[in-house]
Amino acid sequence: MIGYLLLGLAILLYPCLKKWSLFLFITFCCGGFQVLNQIVLGAKPADLAAIYTIVICIYSFFAEKRHYENDLVHKLFKVFVAFFILSVFFSLFHYGFTLTQVIQGSRMHWTFLSFYFLQKTRNEDVEWIVNKIIRITIFVSVLYIIQVLTNLPVLPYVVEDNIDRTTGIGRFYNYPYFLGFVIYAVTIFPDKFKVKRKNICLVILFLALLCTQGRTMMISLILMLFIGLWLNGHRAKLLKIGIGLGIFLLPFADLISARFSASGGSNSDIQAIFNGSFKYDLDLGTGTGYSDSGGTMSYRFAWIYERAEYLSRRPLSENIFGLGMISESQSALVNRMYKFYLGLVQDNGFRTQISTPDISYGNFLTQFGYVGGFILILFWISILYKLYINRNGHPIIFSTMLLVLFYFVNSLAGSTMSNMYSLGFPYLVLSLIYQKKNQKVLSVTV
């Protein structure tokens, strides 16, 4: 109920208080900053973002100017919209899904269309929203750290057998959504993002990163930070931060070592992927994932392999469009159509068949097929390139470029890139490029 009240408020505010409306939209896109999640809102934030997108797209079509650039981002945007429409018809006529089933299955992708109105956002509104994001992310990071240390759901979260076997510490996946962006912004541009008690805030942010216990996430986020410092010309600062980060992580050496050297960890993952053995070690007995001897990365590749092998025996059209516009929530229908062994077991006892939170490329394949997945990857690359060539135009653009680059690296360990609501923030930042006439350099106090 709370969620739909906020949705109604966000829609009503758009014509008169656009920045507040868009802030609520970004809140929906990022899962309510892990505070206003489904437990609190009574509805999925992604669904609220999808409904908002459709309503505001209609309003923007009639009430706002329609002058757009003809760059690669816009061209690929149009191409994917056309593909998406074809995919809907394919699901209706080839798979025989009902219109209700297709609407339910496709609604999670509607947020892709938000580019239509987000690119029109004024620069000062983007800066105001980013200011709020930084404040909230630092605060949520404190709550997240407390949550991990106490193993209690300080943030709204269902805790069930979440103790990590290698570290003995509770592992929570509701880490701050914009953690990477805020680390990049505050570290690389301390003079532009004037955060109060900057050093304390940085300690909080990096400690929150450590508390995620995600190997791929920790490595990729820090690597992108070093790349950002190098690209921005902070060679001396890079060495200084590297030494400081090493000293900061020294007390946690045992914990980090446990995460990276555990049985079935990073080394065995890499070996299984390169020698192809991951596809022979599927735990067919339980169907809940990879066998005890295998690691999480090799499981992700095995998940994709199982679906790709299935598609190799199917008609060409299914390879082009994927497994159909259907929602995983329609468990009975999905499990009647597909019998994959690998997948998370849901509360209703059914196994997930066409979606995974573990790797973006698996979702690209099942939901959009080889062609649609390829178009989406190209679209993300075009966004990254647009941000890269304009990176010196604004600190927010530079920090978002690193965030999108992080998405690419971390796409092997998460579903961020395949979730359409993840495009909301990059779309918003692109408006700083498309609205160049009003652009000004940010300097905010947090």
Side-chain angles (χ1 to χ4, degrees), residues 215 259-278 281 290-299 301:
R215 293 171 300 189
R259 282 300 300 150
F260 283 87
S261 62
S263 175
S266 301
N267 291 334
S268 61
D269 282 343
I270 295 171
Q271 291 173 6
I273 292 167
F274 280 99
N275 64 27
S277 64
F278 65 86
D281 294 327
Y290 212 64
S291 61
D292 290 338
S293 63
T296 54
M297 187 63 75
S298 47
Y299 160 71
F301 275 77

PDB file of all heavy atoms in Angstrom, residues 215 259-278 281 290-299 301:
ATOM      1  N   ARG A 215      33.846 -11.567  -3.543  1.00  0.00           N
ATOM      2  CA  ARG A 215      35.189 -11.539  -4.122  1.00  0.00           C
ATOM      3  C   ARG A 215      35.243 -10.711  -5.398  1.00  0.00           C
ATOM      4  O   ARG A 215      36.062  -9.804  -5.535  1.00  0.00           O
ATOM      5  CB  ARG A 215      35.669 -12.966  -4.403  1.00  0.00           C
ATOM      6  CG  ARG A 215      35.892 -13.799  -3.162  1.00  0.00           C
ATOM      7  CD  ARG A 215      36.148 -15.257  -3.499  1.00  0.00           C
ATOM      8  NE  ARG A 215      35.028 -15.858  -4.228  1.00  0.00           N
ATOM      9  CZ  ARG A 215      34.926 -17.158  -4.485  1.00  0.00           C
ATOM     10  NH1 ARG A 215      35.867 -17.982  -4.086  1.00  0.00           N
ATOM     11  NH2 ARG A 215      33.879 -17.641  -5.136  1.00  0.00           N
ATOM     12  N   ARG A 259      38.109 -15.837   2.239  1.00  0.00           N
ATOM     13  CA  ARG A 259      37.167 -15.715   1.121  1.00  0.00           C
ATOM     14  C   ARG A 259      37.809 -16.108  -0.209  1.00  0.00           C
ATOM     15  O   ARG A 259      37.159 -16.670  -1.080  1.00  0.00           O
ATOM     16  CB  ARG A 259      36.674 -14.265   1.013  1.00  0.00           C
ATOM     17  CG  ARG A 259      35.601 -13.888   2.020  1.00  0.00           C
ATOM     18  CD  ARG A 259      34.349 -14.733   1.885  1.00  0.00           C
ATOM     19  NE  ARG A 259      33.754 -14.601   0.566  1.00  0.00           N
ATOM     20  CZ  ARG A 259      33.062 -15.552  -0.045  1.00  0.00           C
ATOM     21  NH1 ARG A 259      32.902 -16.726   0.519  1.00  0.00           N
ATOM     22  NH2 ARG A 259      32.538 -15.349  -1.230  1.00  0.00           N
ATOM     23  N   PHE A 260      39.113 -15.806  -0.370  1.00  0.00           N
ATOM     24  CA  PHE A 260      39.748 -16.027  -1.666  1.00  0.00           C
ATOM     25  C   PHE A 260      40.464 -17.370  -1.783  1.00  0.00           C
ATOM     26  O   PHE A 260      40.806 -17.790  -2.883  1.00  0.00           O
ATOM     27  CB  PHE A 260      40.739 -14.900  -1.969  1.00  0.00           C
ATOM     28  CG  PHE A 260      40.079 -13.628  -2.404  1.00  0.00           C
ATOM     29  CD1 PHE A 260      39.644 -12.694  -1.465  1.00  0.00           C
ATOM     30  CD2 PHE A 260      39.863 -13.361  -3.737  1.00  0.00           C
ATOM     31  CE1 PHE A 260      39.021 -11.516  -1.860  1.00  0.00           C
ATOM     32  CE2 PHE A 260      39.240 -12.194  -4.139  1.00  0.00           C
ATOM     33  CZ  PHE A 260      38.814 -11.271  -3.203  1.00  0.00           C
ATOM     34  N   SER A 261      40.693 -18.040  -0.667  1.00  0.00           N
ATOM     35  CA  SER A 261      41.431 -19.302  -0.721  1.00  0.00           C
ATOM     36  C   SER A 261      40.597 -20.499  -0.311  1.00  0.00           C
ATOM     37  O   SER A 261      41.111 -21.596  -0.174  1.00  0.00           O
ATOM     38  CB  SER A 261      42.668 -19.228   0.189  1.00  0.00           C
ATOM     39  OG  SER A 261      42.286 -19.036   1.541  1.00  0.00           O
ATOM     40  N   ALA A 262      39.266 -20.276  -0.117  1.00  0.00           N
ATOM     41  CA  ALA A 262      38.403 -21.375   0.307  1.00  0.00           C
ATOM     42  C   ALA A 262      38.309 -22.441  -0.770  1.00  0.00           C
ATOM     43  O   ALA A 262      38.501 -22.190  -1.957  1.00  0.00           O
ATOM     44  CB  ALA A 262      37.003 -20.848   0.627  1.00  0.00           C
ATOM     45  N   SER A 263      37.994 -23.669  -0.328  1.00  0.00           N
ATOM     46  CA  SER A 263      37.803 -24.781  -1.263  1.00  0.00           C
ATOM     47  C   SER A 263      36.667 -24.451  -2.223  1.00  0.00           C
ATOM     48  O   SER A 263      35.600 -24.030  -1.820  1.00  0.00           O
ATOM     49  CB  SER A 263      37.467 -26.056  -0.491  1.00  0.00           C
ATOM     50  OG  SER A 263      37.174 -27.104  -1.385  1.00  0.00           O
ATOM     51  N   GLY A 264      36.927 -24.642  -3.494  1.00  0.00           N
ATOM     52  CA  GLY A 264      35.907 -24.298  -4.482  1.00  0.00           C
ATOM     53  C   GLY A 264      35.833 -22.821  -4.710  1.00  0.00           C
ATOM     54  O   GLY A 264      34.846 -22.299  -5.157  1.00  0.00           O
ATOM     55  N   GLY A 265      36.920 -22.101  -4.400  1.00  0.00           N
ATOM     56  CA  GLY A 265      36.924 -20.660  -4.528  1.00  0.00           C
ATOM     57  C   GLY A 265      37.398 -20.204  -5.881  1.00  0.00           C
ATOM     58  O   GLY A 265      37.223 -20.875  -6.890  1.00  0.00           O
ATOM     59  N   SER A 266      38.069 -19.032  -5.894  1.00  0.00           N
ATOM     60  CA  SER A 266      38.415 -18.378  -7.147  1.00  0.00           C
ATOM     61  C   SER A 266      39.286 -19.234  -8.048  1.00  0.00           C
ATOM     62  O   SER A 266      39.058 -19.324  -9.257  1.00  0.00           O
ATOM     63  CB  SER A 266      39.119 -17.052  -6.832  1.00  0.00           C
ATOM     64  OG  SER A 266      38.288 -16.224  -6.061  1.00  0.00           O
ATOM     65  N   ASN A 267      40.331 -19.880  -7.478  1.00  0.00           N
ATOM     66  CA  ASN A 267      41.249 -20.659  -8.306  1.00  0.00           C
ATOM     67  C   ASN A 267      40.547 -21.829  -8.986  1.00  0.00           C
ATOM     68  O   ASN A 267      40.704 -22.055 -10.186  1.00  0.00           O
ATOM     69  CB  ASN A 267      42.411 -21.167  -7.452  1.00  0.00           C
ATOM     70  CG  ASN A 267      43.320 -20.041  -6.996  1.00  0.00           C
ATOM     71  OD1 ASN A 267      43.400 -19.002  -7.657  1.00  0.00           O
ATOM     72  ND2 ASN A 267      44.011 -20.241  -5.887  1.00  0.00           N
ATOM     73  N   SER A 268      39.759 -22.592  -8.217  1.00  0.00           N
ATOM     74  CA  SER A 268      39.067 -23.734  -8.813  1.00  0.00           C
ATOM     75  C   SER A 268      38.002 -23.281  -9.794  1.00  0.00           C
ATOM     76  O   SER A 268      37.712 -23.963 -10.780  1.00  0.00           O
ATOM     77  CB  SER A 268      38.440 -24.603  -7.719  1.00  0.00           C
ATOM     78  OG  SER A 268      37.490 -23.878  -6.975  1.00  0.00           O
ATOM     79  N   ASP A 269      37.393 -22.111  -9.536  1.00  0.00           N
ATOM     80  CA  ASP A 269      36.424 -21.537 -10.487  1.00  0.00           C
ATOM     81  C   ASP A 269      37.078 -21.328 -11.845  1.00  0.00           C
ATOM     82  O   ASP A 269      36.564 -21.744 -12.882  1.00  0.00           O
ATOM     83  CB  ASP A 269      35.910 -20.189  -9.974  1.00  0.00           C
ATOM     84  CG  ASP A 269      34.857 -20.346  -8.894  1.00  0.00           C
ATOM     85  OD1 ASP A 269      34.311 -21.443  -8.774  1.00  0.00           O
ATOM     86  OD2 ASP A 269      34.598 -19.358  -8.189  1.00  0.00           O
ATOM     87  N   ILE A 270      38.212 -20.642 -11.826  1.00  0.00           N
ATOM     88  CA  ILE A 270      38.904 -20.298 -13.068  1.00  0.00           C
ATOM     89  C   ILE A 270      39.334 -21.552 -13.811  1.00  0.00           C
ATOM     90  O   ILE A 270      39.188 -21.669 -15.036  1.00  0.00           O
ATOM     91  CB  ILE A 270      40.110 -19.392 -12.766  1.00  0.00           C
ATOM     92  CG1 ILE A 270      39.611 -18.050 -12.193  1.00  0.00           C
ATOM     93  CG2 ILE A 270      40.937 -19.147 -14.017  1.00  0.00           C
ATOM     94  CD1 ILE A 270      40.718 -17.168 -11.671  1.00  0.00           C
ATOM     95  N   GLN A 271      39.873 -22.529 -13.075  1.00  0.00           N
ATOM     96  CA  GLN A 271      40.298 -23.778 -13.705  1.00  0.00           C
ATOM     97  C   GLN A 271      39.114 -24.496 -14.350  1.00  0.00           C
ATOM     98  O   GLN A 271      39.216 -25.008 -15.470  1.00  0.00           O
ATOM     99  CB  GLN A 271      40.955 -24.677 -12.654  1.00  0.00           C
ATOM    100  CG  GLN A 271      42.295 -24.149 -12.147  1.00  0.00           C
ATOM    101  CD  GLN A 271      42.838 -24.968 -10.982  1.00  0.00           C
ATOM    102  OE1 GLN A 271      42.267 -26.002 -10.629  1.00  0.00           O
ATOM    103  NE2 GLN A 271      43.924 -24.509 -10.394  1.00  0.00           N
ATOM    104  N   ALA A 272      37.987 -24.557 -13.634  1.00  0.00           N
ATOM    105  CA  ALA A 272      36.808 -25.246 -14.159  1.00  0.00           C
ATOM    106  C   ALA A 272      36.282 -24.577 -15.418  1.00  0.00           C
ATOM    107  O   ALA A 272      35.805 -25.245 -16.339  1.00  0.00           O
ATOM    108  CB  ALA A 272      35.715 -25.300 -13.097  1.00  0.00           C
ATOM    109  N   ILE A 273      36.357 -23.252 -15.471  1.00  0.00           N
ATOM    110  CA  ILE A 273      35.853 -22.508 -16.627  1.00  0.00           C
ATOM    111  C   ILE A 273      36.736 -22.728 -17.850  1.00  0.00           C
ATOM    112  O   ILE A 273      36.266 -23.012 -18.948  1.00  0.00           O
ATOM    113  CB  ILE A 273      35.748 -21.001 -16.299  1.00  0.00           C
ATOM    114  CG1 ILE A 273      34.636 -20.783 -15.263  1.00  0.00           C
ATOM    115  CG2 ILE A 273      35.469 -20.193 -17.558  1.00  0.00           C
ATOM    116  CD1 ILE A 273      34.664 -19.408 -14.642  1.00  0.00           C
ATOM    117  N   PHE A 274      38.047 -22.645 -17.659  1.00  0.00           N
ATOM    118  CA  PHE A 274      38.951 -22.741 -18.800  1.00  0.00           C
ATOM    119  C   PHE A 274      39.128 -24.170 -19.313  1.00  0.00           C
ATOM    120  O   PHE A 274      39.359 -24.377 -20.506  1.00  0.00           O
ATOM    121  CB  PHE A 274      40.313 -22.132 -18.459  1.00  0.00           C
ATOM    122  CG  PHE A 274      40.333 -20.634 -18.550  1.00  0.00           C
ATOM    123  CD1 PHE A 274      40.214 -19.847 -17.420  1.00  0.00           C
ATOM    124  CD2 PHE A 274      40.451 -19.998 -19.779  1.00  0.00           C
ATOM    125  CE1 PHE A 274      40.210 -18.469 -17.499  1.00  0.00           C
ATOM    126  CE2 PHE A 274      40.450 -18.621 -19.874  1.00  0.00           C
ATOM    127  CZ  PHE A 274      40.330 -17.848 -18.732  1.00  0.00           C
ATOM    128  N   ASN A 275      39.034 -25.164 -18.441  1.00  0.00           N
ATOM    129  CA  ASN A 275      39.174 -26.533 -18.933  1.00  0.00           C
ATOM    130  C   ASN A 275      37.833 -27.178 -19.287  1.00  0.00           C
ATOM    131  O   ASN A 275      37.767 -28.316 -19.720  1.00  0.00           O
ATOM    132  CB  ASN A 275      39.944 -27.412 -17.935  1.00  0.00           C
ATOM    133  CG  ASN A 275      39.225 -27.581 -16.606  1.00  0.00           C
ATOM    134  OD1 ASN A 275      37.996 -27.502 -16.535  1.00  0.00           O
ATOM    135  ND2 ASN A 275      39.992 -27.817 -15.544  1.00  0.00           N
ATOM    136  N   GLY A 276      36.746 -26.421 -19.064  1.00  0.00           N
ATOM    137  CA  GLY A 276      35.424 -26.885 -19.458  1.00  0.00           C
ATOM    138  C   GLY A 276      34.805 -27.909 -18.531  1.00  0.00           C
ATOM    139  O   GLY A 276      33.725 -28.441 -18.807  1.00  0.00           O
ATOM    140  N   SER A 277      35.452 -28.195 -17.397  1.00  0.00           N
ATOM    141  CA  SER A 277      34.938 -29.234 -16.499  1.00  0.00           C
ATOM    142  C   SER A 277      33.684 -28.821 -15.751  1.00  0.00           C
ATOM    143  O   SER A 277      32.992 -29.663 -15.192  1.00  0.00           O
ATOM    144  CB  SER A 277      36.021 -29.634 -15.492  1.00  0.00           C
ATOM    145  OG  SER A 277      36.353 -28.550 -14.643  1.00  0.00           O
ATOM    146  N   PHE A 278      33.348 -27.521 -15.754  1.00  0.00           N
ATOM    147  CA  PHE A 278      32.164 -27.066 -15.025  1.00  0.00           C
ATOM    148  C   PHE A 278      30.889 -27.753 -15.517  1.00  0.00           C
ATOM    149  O   PHE A 278      29.977 -28.013 -14.757  1.00  0.00           O
ATOM    150  CB  PHE A 278      32.006 -25.539 -15.146  1.00  0.00           C
ATOM    151  CG  PHE A 278      31.721 -25.062 -16.543  1.00  0.00           C
ATOM    152  CD1 PHE A 278      30.427 -25.016 -17.036  1.00  0.00           C
ATOM    153  CD2 PHE A 278      32.751 -24.645 -17.365  1.00  0.00           C
ATOM    154  CE1 PHE A 278      30.156 -24.566 -18.315  1.00  0.00           C
ATOM    155  CE2 PHE A 278      32.493 -24.206 -18.650  1.00  0.00           C
ATOM    156  CZ  PHE A 278      31.196 -24.166 -19.129  1.00  0.00           C
ATOM    157  N   ASP A 281      30.158 -31.339 -13.845  1.00  0.00           N
ATOM    158  CA  ASP A 281      30.040 -31.482 -12.400  1.00  0.00           C
ATOM    159  C   ASP A 281      28.723 -30.962 -11.849  1.00  0.00           C
ATOM    160  O   ASP A 281      28.630 -30.614 -10.689  1.00  0.00           O
ATOM    161  CB  ASP A 281      31.195 -30.744 -11.700  1.00  0.00           C
ATOM    162  CG  ASP A 281      32.537 -31.380 -12.004  1.00  0.00           C
ATOM    163  OD1 ASP A 281      32.562 -32.606 -12.174  1.00  0.00           O
ATOM    164  OD2 ASP A 281      33.542 -30.648 -12.058  1.00  0.00           O
ATOM    165  N   TYR A 290      25.637 -25.982  -7.726  1.00  0.00           N
ATOM    166  CA  TYR A 290      26.858 -26.701  -8.039  1.00  0.00           C
ATOM    167  C   TYR A 290      27.196 -27.657  -6.920  1.00  0.00           C
ATOM    168  O   TYR A 290      26.823 -27.468  -5.776  1.00  0.00           O
ATOM    169  CB  TYR A 290      27.984 -25.685  -8.234  1.00  0.00           C
ATOM    170  CG  TYR A 290      29.006 -26.130  -9.230  1.00  0.00           C
ATOM    171  CD1 TYR A 290      28.658 -26.318 -10.555  1.00  0.00           C
ATOM    172  CD2 TYR A 290      30.315 -26.357  -8.842  1.00  0.00           C
ATOM    173  CE1 TYR A 290      29.592 -26.711 -11.476  1.00  0.00           C
ATOM    174  CE2 TYR A 290      31.255 -26.758  -9.763  1.00  0.00           C
ATOM    175  CZ  TYR A 290      30.901 -26.939 -11.079  1.00  0.00           C
ATOM    176  OH  TYR A 290      31.822 -27.334 -11.983  1.00  0.00           O
ATOM    177  N   SER A 291      27.919 -28.701  -7.248  1.00  0.00           N
ATOM    178  CA  SER A 291      28.299 -29.671  -6.238  1.00  0.00           C
ATOM    179  C   SER A 291      29.275 -29.064  -5.251  1.00  0.00           C
ATOM    180  O   SER A 291      29.858 -28.020  -5.494  1.00  0.00           O
ATOM    181  CB  SER A 291      28.936 -30.895  -6.906  1.00  0.00           C
ATOM    182  OG  SER A 291      30.100 -30.517  -7.613  1.00  0.00           O
ATOM    183  N   ASP A 292      29.499 -29.731  -4.119  1.00  0.00           N
ATOM    184  CA  ASP A 292      30.337 -29.178  -3.067  1.00  0.00           C
ATOM    185  C   ASP A 292      31.755 -28.890  -3.529  1.00  0.00           C
ATOM    186  O   ASP A 292      32.452 -28.048  -2.962  1.00  0.00           O
ATOM    187  CB  ASP A 292      30.389 -30.136  -1.868  1.00  0.00           C
ATOM    188  CG  ASP A 292      29.058 -30.185  -1.139  1.00  0.00           C
ATOM    189  OD1 ASP A 292      28.281 -29.224  -1.281  1.00  0.00           O
ATOM    190  OD2 ASP A 292      28.797 -31.184  -0.430  1.00  0.00           O
ATOM    191  N   SER A 293      32.219 -29.608  -4.533  1.00  0.00           N
ATOM    192  CA  SER A 293      33.584 -29.400  -5.009  1.00  0.00           C
ATOM    193  C   SER A 293      33.704 -28.222  -5.944  1.00  0.00           C
ATOM    194  O   SER A 293      34.793 -27.795  -6.288  1.00  0.00           O
ATOM    195  CB  SER A 293      34.074 -30.665  -5.729  1.00  0.00           C
ATOM    196  OG  SER A 293      33.269 -30.903  -6.871  1.00  0.00           O
ATOM    197  N   GLY A 294      32.601 -27.669  -6.369  1.00  0.00           N
ATOM    198  CA  GLY A 294      32.624 -26.573  -7.328  1.00  0.00           C
ATOM    199  C   GLY A 294      32.356 -25.244  -6.680  1.00  0.00           C
ATOM    200  O   GLY A 294      31.727 -25.155  -5.639  1.00  0.00           O
ATOM    201  N   GLY A 295      32.833 -24.144  -7.305  1.00  0.00           N
ATOM    202  CA  GLY A 295      32.660 -22.808  -6.760  1.00  0.00           C
ATOM    203  C   GLY A 295      31.523 -22.070  -7.431  1.00  0.00           C
ATOM    204  O   GLY A 295      30.888 -22.558  -8.351  1.00  0.00           O
ATOM    205  N   THR A 296      31.253 -20.873  -6.966  1.00  0.00           N
ATOM    206  CA  THR A 296      30.103 -20.123  -7.443  1.00  0.00           C
ATOM    207  C   THR A 296      30.261 -19.659  -8.888  1.00  0.00           C
ATOM    208  O   THR A 296      29.292 -19.659  -9.639  1.00  0.00           O
ATOM    209  CB  THR A 296      29.867 -18.894  -6.547  1.00  0.00           C
ATOM    210  OG1 THR A 296      31.081 -18.130  -6.478  1.00  0.00           O
ATOM    211  CG2 THR A 296      29.474 -19.326  -5.146  1.00  0.00           C
ATOM    212  N   MET A 297      31.459 -19.257  -9.301  1.00  0.00           N
ATOM    213  CA  MET A 297      31.639 -18.796 -10.674  1.00  0.00           C
ATOM    214  C   MET A 297      31.439 -19.940 -11.661  1.00  0.00           C
ATOM    215  O   MET A 297      30.823 -19.776 -12.721  1.00  0.00           O
ATOM    216  CB  MET A 297      33.032 -18.181 -10.858  1.00  0.00           C
ATOM    217  CG  MET A 297      33.243 -17.532 -12.218  1.00  0.00           C
ATOM    218  SD  MET A 297      32.134 -16.139 -12.521  1.00  0.00           S
ATOM    219  CE  MET A 297      32.880 -14.886 -11.480  1.00  0.00           C
ATOM    220  N   SER A 298      31.956 -21.114 -11.338  1.00  0.00           N
ATOM    221  CA  SER A 298      31.770 -22.254 -12.232  1.00  0.00           C
ATOM    222  C   SER A 298      30.298 -22.643 -12.294  1.00  0.00           C
ATOM    223  O   SER A 298      29.812 -23.100 -13.339  1.00  0.00           O
ATOM    224  CB  SER A 298      32.628 -23.435 -11.768  1.00  0.00           C
ATOM    225  OG  SER A 298      32.507 -23.660 -10.393  1.00  0.00           O
ATOM    226  N   TYR A 299      29.565 -22.476 -11.190  1.00  0.00           N
ATOM    227  CA  TYR A 299      28.118 -22.730 -11.211  1.00  0.00           C
ATOM    228  C   TYR A 299      27.421 -21.784 -12.182  1.00  0.00           C
ATOM    229  O   TYR A 299      26.521 -22.195 -12.931  1.00  0.00           O
ATOM    230  CB  TYR A 299      27.538 -22.557  -9.802  1.00  0.00           C
ATOM    231  CG  TYR A 299      26.044 -22.310  -9.791  1.00  0.00           C
ATOM    232  CD1 TYR A 299      25.146 -23.324 -10.119  1.00  0.00           C
ATOM    233  CD2 TYR A 299      25.527 -21.048  -9.480  1.00  0.00           C
ATOM    234  CE1 TYR A 299      23.782 -23.106 -10.127  1.00  0.00           C
ATOM    235  CE2 TYR A 299      24.168 -20.820  -9.486  1.00  0.00           C
ATOM    236  CZ  TYR A 299      23.298 -21.837  -9.815  1.00  0.00           C
ATOM    237  OH  TYR A 299      21.957 -21.608  -9.832  1.00  0.00           O
ATOM    238  N   PHE A 301      28.595 -20.361 -14.890  1.00  0.00           N
ATOM    239  CA  PHE A 301      28.843 -20.776 -16.269  1.00  0.00           C
ATOM    240  C   PHE A 301      28.058 -22.047 -16.601  1.00  0.00           C
ATOM    241  O   PHE A 301      27.580 -22.213 -17.726  1.00  0.00           O
ATOM    242  CB  PHE A 301      30.343 -20.983 -16.496  1.00  0.00           C
ATOM    243  CG  PHE A 301      31.068 -19.715 -16.848  1.00  0.00           C
ATOM    244  CD1 PHE A 301      31.382 -18.784 -15.882  1.00  0.00           C
ATOM    245  CD2 PHE A 301      31.412 -19.448 -18.161  1.00  0.00           C
ATOM    246  CE1 PHE A 301      32.044 -17.609 -16.202  1.00  0.00           C
ATOM    247  CE2 PHE A 301      32.084 -18.276 -18.498  1.00  0.00           C
ATOM    248  CZ  PHE A 301      32.394 -17.351 -17.513  1.00  0.00           C
TER     249      PHE A 301
END
